[in-house]
Amino acid sequence: MMSPTQPFRSLTNLLYTDRMRPCDAMVWLQGDQYDRGAVVLDCFKKGFAPRIILSGNNILLGADVRPGEDNISLQQMESWLLKRGVPQEAIVIEDQSMNTHDQGIHLCSMAKERGWETLMVVGSLPHYQARYYLTFLHAQKETGWQGRIIPAAVKISLTDIPGGRDMPAATLMEAEEAKIGLYQAKGHVATFEEGFRALAEIDRIHAAVTETEDTI
């Protein structure tokens, strides 16, 4: 594997900054089993979002379907939340997405149809966050949704093995930039420069809101 380039490393490092913000909906992306659930639950209980969207599918499950990945079902994710006090009416299931690009299109379309302005999307750092974030930014352009994607993530040590995987995060991360390149060729992800600009805009808006609140 080639070492990650500077743009990939820089974007990944920027995504380590916590950007939990009030939003119209929070998205728990299927993958890494229950790893991402703790961040989703914490954000919901702190009142950052009135609803949680579980996004993925119930087809590509099990250790023998995707090499090196053993996903849990959306219903297992839902049950995990219900057992921890999230009310049924606060959970929305999006079960038509077979990959990250599908998730971006379906969720941005949902946000556009329902008039939402912000989606906080929970993935995993360091091995997945950059790809999903660039994918969702491009999906905004494809769907014409004018809202904002707020990245949030469970942070996993490079030496740890994420849930349902068979290799540590460091090894998984090595393959990510190559995947981004492949998806860019298909027209499915934004550029690194677009990622940097989007994160800077999120931080600018948050700083302006915080300054206004401090002066009230």
Side-chain angles (χ1 to χ4, degrees):
M1 293 283 186
M2 295 179 62
S3 298
T5 64
Q6 186 60 48
F8 180 83
R9 290 198 303 268
S10 296
L11 183 62
T12 298
N13 288 338
L14 285 172
L15 286 165
Y16 266 99
T17 300
D18 287 322
R19 292 183 175 83
M20 294 182 184
R21 309 278 192 269
C23 58
D24 293 305
M26 184 187 323
V27 180
W28 179 356
L29 297 174
Q30 187 181 40
D32 294 346
Q33 295 196 354
Y34 297 104
D35 286 357
R36 302 166 188 171
V39 171
V40 172
L41 186 65
D42 181 58
C43 288
F44 182 80
K45 290 194 170 183
K46 287 179 177 176
F48 285 105
R51 60 188 63 87
I52 298 169
I53 305 172
L54 308 179
S55 176
N57 66 81
N58 288 324
I59 298 172
L60 302 177
L61 306 180
D64 299 326
V65 179
R66 280 182 168 174
E69 189 170 357
D70 184 6
N71 281 332
I72 56 173
S73 72
L74 296 168
Q75 281 66 40
Q76 287 174 292
M77 295 161 63
E78 179 184 38
S79 178
W80 189 93
L81 290 171
L82 292 173
K83 289 177 180 177
R84 287 158 179 80
V86 177
Q88 183 77 63
E89 60 270 22
I91 301 174
V92 179
I93 294 181
E94 184 285 296
D95 62 359
Q96 300 300 305
S97 293
M98 304 302 287
N99 52 52
T100 307
H101 179 247
D102 284 353
Q103 290 174 313
I105 295 296
H106 290 148
L107 292 166
C108 288
S109 295
M110 183 185 297
K112 183 179 180 181
E113 291 168 2
R114 301 189 183 193
W116 296 341
E117 296 182 355
T118 50
L119 288 177
M120 184 157 59
V121 185
V122 180
S124 301
L125 272 168
H127 60 286
Y128 178 61
Q129 200 76 348
R131 176 160 58 89
Y132 110 65
Y133 187 62
L134 295 178
T135 300
F136 272 62
L137 290 180
H138 197 276
Q140 285 187 263
K141 292 191 293 185
E142 293 182 80
T143 60
W145 179 53
Q146 300 298 312
R148 294 193 307 280
I149 301 294
I150 301 173
V154 56
K155 298 170 184 177
I156 299 172
S157 169
L158 286 169
T159 58
D160 287 343
I161 298 176
R165 305 281 189 151
D166 63 359
M167 57 187 68
T171 304
L172 295 170
M173 185 178 172
E174 289 176 353
E176 280 302 302
E177 189 170 13
K179 288 181 180 179
I180 290 173
L182 289 173
Y183 300 148
Q184 282 178 333
K186 294 180 180 180
H188 288 175
V189 297
T191 65
F192 287 108
E193 289 74 18
E194 288 172 316
F196 295 139
R197 287 199 298 270
L199 288 177
E201 179 66 7
I202 289 173
D203 293 342
R204 184 193 68 77
I205 292 171
H206 179 67
V209 170
T210 301
E211 183 177 353
T212 300
E213 290 174 345
D214 288 343
T215 59
I216 294 176

